Structure formats: C-alpha cells, structure tokens
Amino acid sequence: MGQTISAVVVSQGRPELLARCLMSLSQQQRVDLEVVVVADAASLDHLAAGPFAGRFKPVLLEQANISLARNMGIQAAAGDVVAFIDDDSAAEPTWAAFLTAPLADPSVIAATGFVRGRNGITFQWKAETIDVFGNSHPMSVPEDEVSFHLPPKNGAIKTPGTNMAFRRADLIAAGGFDERLHFYLDESDLNIRLSKSGLKTAVVPHAQVHHAYAASARRAADRTPTSLIEIGASQSIFLSNHCPPEDVNSTLGRFASHQESRLLRFLQRGPMGPETVFRLRRELAHGFEVGNKRGKWAPHIFAEGRSAFLSLCSQRQDDICLKFMRPWNRAKMIGEIASLVAEGKIVTVVEMAPTSVYHHVLYTNAGYWLQKGGTFGRSERSDPIFRFTNFQRRCRKEILRVSKVRGIDPCTLGTKRIR
C-alpha cells in the first residue's frame, strides 16, 4: 500500500480563495489525498455550504498564527505524509503525487517544488538555502528531474510554506512548528531543525503551485507592507534559535537596514508616503522587542493516535479535457466548459487572439485552467517577443509546455483536432 497524503491549508478571512484552492486539490491525480483546513469560522462556514461539505477536515482557529495553525493541521492529519499549501495558491493536478513521492525514501526528510507567480508563467520560486542568519541563497538545480540535497553547513535547504511536504512522524518528532513564529521564517526554522538529522531534501521541479500573493493583514495586494511587527518578532526569534549569540545584534541591524531600503523603494514607487515609512520602521523595532518577550521555544505536544482518513480525491486519472477557442467563441463555449468541470473533468482552456499579447495562466474560481494570450505572443518570458505561427501549432506548443504538470498525455495531441 502506498503513502497516504494529507494537505494542510491555513486560511484567515479569504473564503473565496480558500474555496478555489480546495477545488484545485480536489482535482489531484494519482494520489489518495485528504485535506485539513485550519481557518476562521466564517471561512469554514463558506466551505461547508459549498461542494466540499463533508469532504474535508475543518479545524477552527480564529487566531492569526500560522505555526499554531500548521501544528493543529498536523494533529488532525491522518496521512503518512503532510503537505502544505497556502490558501491563495492553486496546485497543478500532479502536484501532490510529484511532491510526496521522494518521501518514500527514508533518507529524504523533506520535499519542495517550484512556485509560479501571478502571471502563471514566470517562476516566483525554484530552490534556495537558508542560513542561520535568516538569509536566503539561490540554488542551481536541474529543472527537469528531482534532485536530492544534503543540508549546507550552518543552514538548510529551504522549503516555501506554499509548496512543501514532510513525513508526519518526522514533524511530530521535531515538535512541530515554533508557535512563537506567527508569520515569517516559520518553515525556515523547521528546516534548520530538521537539517540536524543530516538527511536530504528533495527538490521536485514538476511539483508546481501557482501563488497569488493575495492581500492580508500584513500586506496589500501589490505586496506593499502594512505591518512589520510580526516580521520583526519572527526575525528576532529565529536569530535567538539559530544565530551565534555574538552575531545577533549586528544581524538585526543589517535586517533593519534591508527593510528600510525596501520601504524606501515603495516610497519612490508611490504606494506609501513618508508617514507610513516612519510608522513601519517603528513597528519593526517594536517587533524585535515583541519577539524577545515571547520566551523560549516549547515543542508542540501532539496527542497520540490519528483521526480517520477522509479522502477528498482518490487515484483519479484520465479525466483530462482540453478546449481551444478564440475570444469571439468564449460566450458559446463557457457553458460547455462549466458542464465539463461539473462532471469532474480537469479542464485546460487555451484562448488565443491573433495578436502578440503576452500569455497568462490562471486557475479560475470556476475550477478550470485558463491560458490567454496572442497567437504570436510570448508565453515563457525568455521567448521571442513575436513568433510567426498559426493557431493550431501554437495551441499544441502550449499544451506540450504544461503537459507534465497538468497530467496530459502528449501522445493524445497527435490525433486531437484543434479548432
């Protein structure tokens, strides 16, 4: 029998995005997957009134503390492996299968994948390490195959919170996430503690999620910060956990300088005024003090035993459907697309106009993948600005580009009529 998988989603006050994330998880292929949602009452009520009622594990938490929420999710999870994804992300249909497969190897302690940004094309994240000073460093990794990495000296392989997986038993043995880290560096702290095992982290390029960077209590939709208290507190706690004591003050000083430079860039661009910059600088300093007052880390005490496994989707495959259309056919086809989604199909729609407009990819609230752009325009941002082709050839090219992560058999394109 293979590994069972639990996906934990933490959410506060974003019910529509949460529902979209669950829709993408319900379309995972070739895995037995349950979903644990740790969220506020309003968000859980929103899900309970929709198509996922009774198909996910709800865990109520009104407090904005992502580490506590993740520990509660681990407790509720029944899977052998626990994966984590943010509520403002959507997972490609093969995400869970690709991400968790390396954890069948006992020499692997963690797994992470690639993250695409808002345009659905460009990568927001590929692979990085984190050091004991809280600094991230890019890694060079193969982009077409899984690679395995031992932890670097005085650091770890970093796993982003929206695309990471661990064996449940290892999370429990490590004491879970540090609940003093309400937000920021929470997964990095865990990475460094797990790195003490000397085991490897798998970087899985085809385990992909699309991350929106949605607005929250700490940032606006354009990523302008609205509060730096928790970032300051978490930085202070992280350094007390891992940084040599003699280097803590100088590291905090460099971090404050970096944040001030970031704020000045926002000031130059226009999203914030001088008074906001001054307020956020004060908040960061206050955050350092808040972190120092949260005491020492206490491992989370997990209750023995597990709840029953509640499958959201199980071993689904061959439910792929491709639709190709021009903008003037959209109104005619949208009903057909909605019907296919309602039947449980994993639908990819490619809509192209006879222009050179850049392409964007979006997982819609209606539960299908939509790629829009010009027949002659870029998809990968390294492509030529203009490439002469026709509608049929371009549609095939774009489907081949995503076939691995979307679970599409490229052989089917040879006989499929594109109109």
Side-chain angles (χ1 to χ4, degrees):
M1 182 177 178
Q3 302 177 110
T4 52
I5 304 162
S6 300
V8 172
V9 188
V10 175
S11 187
Q12 284 283 325
R14 301 196 289 209
E16 291 81 14
L17 284 172
L18 176 60
R20 186 188 71 134
C21 178
L22 253 68
M23 178 66 82
S24 76
L25 294 176
S26 74
Q27 296 176 351
Q28 293 298 293
Q29 294 183 294
R30 302 188 295 276
V31 290
D32 196 7
L33 180 71
E34 77 165 5
V35 175
V36 179
V37 178
V38 186
D40 57 287
S43 297
L44 293 176
D45 289 345
H46 181 82
L47 288 185
F52 304 112
R55 298 173 57 198
F56 70 97
K57 289 182 176 178
V59 178
L60 176 63
L61 179 65
E62 297 288 352
Q63 183 180 349
N65 182 335
I66 196 166
S67 293
L68 172 60
R70 285 173 174 163
N71 286 340
M72 295 173 71
I74 295 164
Q75 181 68 70
D80 303 313
V81 171
V82 182
F84 296 88
I85 184 172
D86 290 350
D87 62 352
D88 60 347
S89 293
E92 290 280 4
T94 58
W95 170 70
F98 278 130
L99 179 65
T100 60
L103 288 162
D105 181 347
S107 70
V108 175
I109 193 76
T112 186
F114 283 13
V115 179
R116 292 191 187 268
R118 286 178 172 174
N119 64 23
I121 305 281
T122 306
F123 284 110
Q124 188 182 94
W125 166 281
K126 289 184 179 179
E128 293 182 356
T129 61
I130 185 81
D131 63 29
V132 295
F133 304 103
N135 300 317
S136 298
H137 307 276
M139 295 172 62
S140 178
V141 299
E143 299 193 11
D144 291 320
E145 62 184 16
V146 181
S147 55
F148 299 90
H149 306 270
L150 290 169
K153 184 179 180 181
N154 296 323
I157 310 302
K158 188 175 179 180
T159 62
T162 192
N163 193 351
M164 60 184 185
F166 313 87
R167 280 182 292 271
R168 183 176 185 270
D170 292 333
L171 291 172
I172 291 173
F177 291 85
D178 185 339
E179 294 172 9
R180 299 173 301 160
L181 298 167
H182 297 182
F183 166 77
Y184 185 66
L185 291 174
D186 37 294
E187 57 274 334
S188 296
D189 172 79
L190 175 68
N191 294 151
I192 290 183
R193 283 189 281 121
L194 290 177
S195 73
K196 301 299 192 291
S197 68
L199 299 177
K200 295 176 287 188
T201 295
V203 177
V204 191
H206 292 120
Q208 294 184 11
V209 301
H210 295 239
H211 185 216
Y213 269 133
S216 71
R218 293 170 298 273
R219 66 172 178 241
D222 66 354
R223 299 183 66 185
T224 304
T226 56
S227 174
L228 290 182
I229 293 175
E230 287 302 336
I231 286 178
S234 292
Q235 181 71 25
S236 175
I237 293 166
F238 180 90
L239 294 179
S240 71
N241 285 351
H242 306 294
C243 181
E246 65 273 16
D247 294 329
V248 169
N249 288 337
S250 59
T251 304
L252 282 174
R254 287 193 295 273
F255 181 76
S257 296
H258 171 76
Q259 291 298 316
E260 183 166 351
S261 297
R262 186 166 74 106
L263 295 177
L264 291 176
R265 288 195 294 273
F266 282 115
L267 176 65
Q268 291 168 348
R269 281 169 38 195
M272 64 173 65
E275 67 287 348
T276 304
V277 172
F278 293 140
R279 175 180 62 81
L280 291 173
R281 287 173 61 189
R282 291 193 300 269
E283 285 190 357
L284 183 65
H286 177 57
F288 293 159
E289 297 173 1
V290 169
N292 289 332
K293 293 176 181 177
R294 286 185 182 165
K296 295 183 177 180
W297 176 58
H300 186 88
I301 306 302
F302 292 93
E304 294 184 6
R306 306 190 206 184
S307 60
F309 189 87
L310 178 62
S311 183
L312 176 68
C313 60
S314 180
Q315 302 296 333
R316 63 178 297 163
Q317 49 193 332
D318 300 324
D319 291 332
I320 304 296
C321 185
L322 307 177
K323 288 292 174 183
F324 307 96
M325 64 185 186
R326 300 287 200 173
W328 50 85
N329 292 330
R330 185 187 306 130
K332 182 174 68 175
M333 295 184 66
I334 202 70
E336 179 185 353
I337 293 166
S339 296
L340 290 168
V341 173
E343 292 169 10
K345 303 293 186 185
I346 302 172
V347 182
T348 295
V349 178
V350 179
E351 177 185 321
M352 282 194 288
T355 68
S356 58
V357 170
Y358 287 13
H359 286 227
H360 290 74
V361 175
L362 171 70
Y363 185 73
T364 68
N365 290 342
Y368 61 90
W369 294 93
L370 174 63
Q371 178 167 341
K372 296 178 67 173
T375 304
F376 315 113
R378 283 178 173 173
S379 51
E380 299 287 356
R381 290 336 191 224
S382 58
D383 286 347
I385 292 177
F386 181 92
R387 177 176 292 172
F388 187 77
T389 185
N390 61 36
F391 180 75
Q392 290 78 15
R393 284 199 300 269
R394 187 60 191 272
C395 285
R396 292 183 193 278
K397 177 181 182 294
E398 293 308 314
I399 291 299
L400 286 171
R401 185 181 64 82
V402 300
S403 61
K404 185 81 170 181
V405 298
R406 201 66 51 82
I408 299 167
D409 181 358
C411 296
T412 62
L413 290 175
T415 57
K416 187 171 185 65
R417 180 170 173 261
I418 296 175
R419 54 188 174 81

PDB file of all heavy atoms in Angstrom, residues 19-20 38 57 133 148 181 185 222 243 267 310 324 352 415-416:
ATOM      1  N   ALA A  19     -11.736  28.437  -1.201  1.00  0.00           N
ATOM      2  CA  ALA A  19     -12.560  27.518  -1.989  1.00  0.00           C
ATOM      3  C   ALA A  19     -11.890  27.166  -3.312  1.00  0.00           C
ATOM      4  O   ALA A  19     -11.943  26.019  -3.772  1.00  0.00           O
ATOM      5  CB  ALA A  19     -13.938  28.139  -2.239  1.00  0.00           C
ATOM      6  N   ARG A  20     -11.227  28.154  -3.922  1.00  0.00           N
ATOM      7  CA  ARG A  20     -10.514  27.887  -5.183  1.00  0.00           C
ATOM      8  C   ARG A  20      -9.352  26.926  -4.946  1.00  0.00           C
ATOM      9  O   ARG A  20      -9.116  26.009  -5.737  1.00  0.00           O
ATOM     10  CB  ARG A  20     -10.009  29.208  -5.771  1.00  0.00           C
ATOM     11  CG  ARG A  20      -9.388  29.076  -7.148  1.00  0.00           C
ATOM     12  CD  ARG A  20      -8.751  30.368  -7.585  1.00  0.00           C
ATOM     13  NE  ARG A  20      -7.549  30.635  -6.806  1.00  0.00           N
ATOM     14  CZ  ARG A  20      -6.387  31.031  -7.326  1.00  0.00           C
ATOM     15  NH1 ARG A  20      -6.264  31.189  -8.636  1.00  0.00           N
ATOM     16  NH2 ARG A  20      -5.352  31.273  -6.566  1.00  0.00           N
ATOM     17  N   VAL A  38      -7.473  24.635   8.310  1.00  0.00           N
ATOM     18  CA  VAL A  38      -7.417  25.332   9.599  1.00  0.00           C
ATOM     19  C   VAL A  38      -7.756  26.788   9.317  1.00  0.00           C
ATOM     20  O   VAL A  38      -6.986  27.500   8.664  1.00  0.00           O
ATOM     21  CB  VAL A  38      -6.024  25.208  10.240  1.00  0.00           C
ATOM     22  CG1 VAL A  38      -6.042  25.808  11.648  1.00  0.00           C
ATOM     23  CG2 VAL A  38      -5.568  23.750  10.287  1.00  0.00           C
ATOM     24  N   LYS A  57     -11.483  18.070   6.389  1.00  0.00           N
ATOM     25  CA  LYS A  57     -11.454  18.126   7.849  1.00  0.00           C
ATOM     26  C   LYS A  57     -11.355  19.583   8.293  1.00  0.00           C
ATOM     27  O   LYS A  57     -10.328  20.228   8.060  1.00  0.00           O
ATOM     28  CB  LYS A  57     -10.273  17.335   8.393  1.00  0.00           C
ATOM     29  CG  LYS A  57     -10.408  15.827   8.267  1.00  0.00           C
ATOM     30  CD  LYS A  57      -9.201  15.137   8.874  1.00  0.00           C
ATOM     31  CE  LYS A  57      -9.362  13.629   8.856  1.00  0.00           C
ATOM     32  NZ  LYS A  57      -8.154  12.947   9.398  1.00  0.00           N
ATOM     33  N   PHE A 133      21.465  33.047   9.813  1.00  0.00           N
ATOM     34  CA  PHE A 133      21.215  34.479   9.957  1.00  0.00           C
ATOM     35  C   PHE A 133      19.872  34.882   9.337  1.00  0.00           C
ATOM     36  O   PHE A 133      19.518  36.053   9.337  1.00  0.00           O
ATOM     37  CB  PHE A 133      22.346  35.273   9.303  1.00  0.00           C
ATOM     38  CG  PHE A 133      23.708  34.927   9.826  1.00  0.00           C
ATOM     39  CD1 PHE A 133      24.558  34.113   9.086  1.00  0.00           C
ATOM     40  CD2 PHE A 133      24.135  35.375  11.067  1.00  0.00           C
ATOM     41  CE1 PHE A 133      25.813  33.774   9.562  1.00  0.00           C
ATOM     42  CE2 PHE A 133      25.394  35.042  11.556  1.00  0.00           C
ATOM     43  CZ  PHE A 133      26.237  34.234  10.811  1.00  0.00           C
ATOM     44  N   PHE A 148      18.412  15.737  -5.108  1.00  0.00           N
ATOM     45  CA  PHE A 148      18.457  15.494  -3.665  1.00  0.00           C
ATOM     46  C   PHE A 148      19.666  16.215  -3.084  1.00  0.00           C
ATOM     47  O   PHE A 148      20.778  16.122  -3.619  1.00  0.00           O
ATOM     48  CB  PHE A 148      18.539  13.992  -3.386  1.00  0.00           C
ATOM     49  CG  PHE A 148      17.355  13.231  -3.917  1.00  0.00           C
ATOM     50  CD1 PHE A 148      17.371  12.721  -5.214  1.00  0.00           C
ATOM     51  CD2 PHE A 148      16.226  13.034  -3.148  1.00  0.00           C
ATOM     52  CE1 PHE A 148      16.282  12.029  -5.723  1.00  0.00           C
ATOM     53  CE2 PHE A 148      15.135  12.336  -3.637  1.00  0.00           C
ATOM     54  CZ  PHE A 148      15.159  11.832  -4.924  1.00  0.00           C
ATOM     55  N   LEU A 181       6.624  31.907  16.236  1.00  0.00           N
ATOM     56  CA  LEU A 181       6.766  32.481  14.895  1.00  0.00           C
ATOM     57  C   LEU A 181       5.386  32.541  14.255  1.00  0.00           C
ATOM     58  O   LEU A 181       4.961  31.635  13.543  1.00  0.00           O
ATOM     59  CB  LEU A 181       7.721  31.626  14.058  1.00  0.00           C
ATOM     60  CG  LEU A 181       9.157  31.520  14.593  1.00  0.00           C
ATOM     61  CD1 LEU A 181       9.920  30.414  13.884  1.00  0.00           C
ATOM     62  CD2 LEU A 181       9.883  32.842  14.454  1.00  0.00           C
ATOM     63  N   LEU A 185       9.538  33.137   8.412  1.00  0.00           N
ATOM     64  CA  LEU A 185      10.643  32.269   8.827  1.00  0.00           C
ATOM     65  C   LEU A 185      10.172  31.031   9.599  1.00  0.00           C
ATOM     66  O   LEU A 185      10.992  30.300  10.141  1.00  0.00           O
ATOM     67  CB  LEU A 185      11.675  33.039   9.659  1.00  0.00           C
ATOM     68  CG  LEU A 185      12.496  34.092   8.909  1.00  0.00           C
ATOM     69  CD1 LEU A 185      13.361  34.882   9.875  1.00  0.00           C
ATOM     70  CD2 LEU A 185      13.362  33.452   7.824  1.00  0.00           C
ATOM     71  N   ASP A 222      -0.588  44.624  -3.838  1.00  0.00           N
ATOM     72  CA  ASP A 222       0.629  44.866  -4.613  1.00  0.00           C
ATOM     73  C   ASP A 222       1.891  44.553  -3.821  1.00  0.00           C
ATOM     74  O   ASP A 222       2.986  44.937  -4.210  1.00  0.00           O
ATOM     75  CB  ASP A 222       0.665  46.309  -5.125  1.00  0.00           C
ATOM     76  CG  ASP A 222       0.775  47.334  -3.994  1.00  0.00           C
ATOM     77  OD1 ASP A 222       0.705  46.932  -2.811  1.00  0.00           O
ATOM     78  OD2 ASP A 222       0.923  48.530  -4.297  1.00  0.00           O
ATOM     79  N   CYS A 243      21.150  31.709  15.416  1.00  0.00           N
ATOM     80  CA  CYS A 243      22.318  32.546  15.156  1.00  0.00           C
ATOM     81  C   CYS A 243      23.281  32.511  16.350  1.00  0.00           C
ATOM     82  O   CYS A 243      22.835  32.492  17.506  1.00  0.00           O
ATOM     83  CB  CYS A 243      21.849  33.981  14.903  1.00  0.00           C
ATOM     84  SG  CYS A 243      23.164  35.162  14.535  1.00  0.00           S
ATOM     85  N   LEU A 267       8.319  53.804  -1.241  1.00  0.00           N
ATOM     86  CA  LEU A 267       8.084  55.250  -1.191  1.00  0.00           C
ATOM     87  C   LEU A 267       8.357  55.884  -2.550  1.00  0.00           C
ATOM     88  O   LEU A 267       7.572  56.715  -3.037  1.00  0.00           O
ATOM     89  CB  LEU A 267       8.989  55.872  -0.126  1.00  0.00           C
ATOM     90  CG  LEU A 267       8.963  57.402   0.007  1.00  0.00           C
ATOM     91  CD1 LEU A 267       7.593  57.869   0.465  1.00  0.00           C
ATOM     92  CD2 LEU A 267      10.038  57.872   0.988  1.00  0.00           C
ATOM     93  N   LEU A 310      -9.883  10.946   5.695  1.00  0.00           N
ATOM     94  CA  LEU A 310     -11.058  11.411   4.945  1.00  0.00           C
ATOM     95  C   LEU A 310     -10.599  11.834   3.552  1.00  0.00           C
ATOM     96  O   LEU A 310      -9.995  12.886   3.375  1.00  0.00           O
ATOM     97  CB  LEU A 310     -11.717  12.583   5.669  1.00  0.00           C
ATOM     98  CG  LEU A 310     -12.926  13.216   4.984  1.00  0.00           C
ATOM     99  CD1 LEU A 310     -14.057  12.202   4.830  1.00  0.00           C
ATOM    100  CD2 LEU A 310     -13.399  14.439   5.763  1.00  0.00           C
ATOM    101  N   PHE A 324      -9.910  24.552 -26.916  1.00  0.00           N
ATOM    102  CA  PHE A 324      -9.175  25.615 -27.593  1.00  0.00           C
ATOM    103  C   PHE A 324     -10.192  26.574 -28.191  1.00  0.00           C
ATOM    104  O   PHE A 324     -11.165  26.135 -28.825  1.00  0.00           O
ATOM    105  CB  PHE A 324      -8.291  25.034 -28.690  1.00  0.00           C
ATOM    106  CG  PHE A 324      -7.386  23.940 -28.199  1.00  0.00           C
ATOM    107  CD1 PHE A 324      -7.754  22.601 -28.326  1.00  0.00           C
ATOM    108  CD2 PHE A 324      -6.179  24.239 -27.593  1.00  0.00           C
ATOM    109  CE1 PHE A 324      -6.929  21.591 -27.865  1.00  0.00           C
ATOM    110  CE2 PHE A 324      -5.352  23.241 -27.132  1.00  0.00           C
ATOM    111  CZ  PHE A 324      -5.718  21.903 -27.266  1.00  0.00           C
ATOM    112  N   MET A 352      -6.773  32.065 -27.549  1.00  0.00           N
ATOM    113  CA  MET A 352      -5.778  32.906 -28.215  1.00  0.00           C
ATOM    114  C   MET A 352      -6.408  33.781 -29.289  1.00  0.00           C
ATOM    115  O   MET A 352      -7.227  33.306 -30.084  1.00  0.00           O
ATOM    116  CB  MET A 352      -4.674  32.035 -28.824  1.00  0.00           C
ATOM    117  CG  MET A 352      -3.680  31.552 -27.782  1.00  0.00           C
ATOM    118  SD  MET A 352      -2.175  30.865 -28.490  1.00  0.00           S
ATOM    119  CE  MET A 352      -2.784  29.337 -29.159  1.00  0.00           C
ATOM    120  N   THR A 415      -3.558  13.189 -32.436  1.00  0.00           N
ATOM    121  CA  THR A 415      -4.808  12.863 -33.113  1.00  0.00           C
ATOM    122  C   THR A 415      -5.922  13.850 -32.807  1.00  0.00           C
ATOM    123  O   THR A 415      -7.013  13.767 -33.356  1.00  0.00           O
ATOM    124  CB  THR A 415      -5.290  11.447 -32.680  1.00  0.00           C
ATOM    125  OG1 THR A 415      -5.431  11.429 -31.260  1.00  0.00           O
ATOM    126  CG2 THR A 415      -4.277  10.405 -33.103  1.00  0.00           C
ATOM    127  N   LYS A 416      -5.648  14.800 -31.882  1.00  0.00           N
ATOM    128  CA  LYS A 416      -6.712  15.723 -31.465  1.00  0.00           C
ATOM    129  C   LYS A 416      -6.852  16.852 -32.467  1.00  0.00           C
ATOM    130  O   LYS A 416      -5.873  17.502 -32.860  1.00  0.00           O
ATOM    131  CB  LYS A 416      -6.401  16.281 -30.091  1.00  0.00           C
ATOM    132  CG  LYS A 416      -7.554  17.127 -29.533  1.00  0.00           C
ATOM    133  CD  LYS A 416      -7.296  17.471 -28.084  1.00  0.00           C
ATOM    134  CE  LYS A 416      -8.498  18.197 -27.507  1.00  0.00           C
ATOM    135  NZ  LYS A 416      -9.684  17.366 -27.453  1.00  0.00           N
TER     136      LYS A 416
END
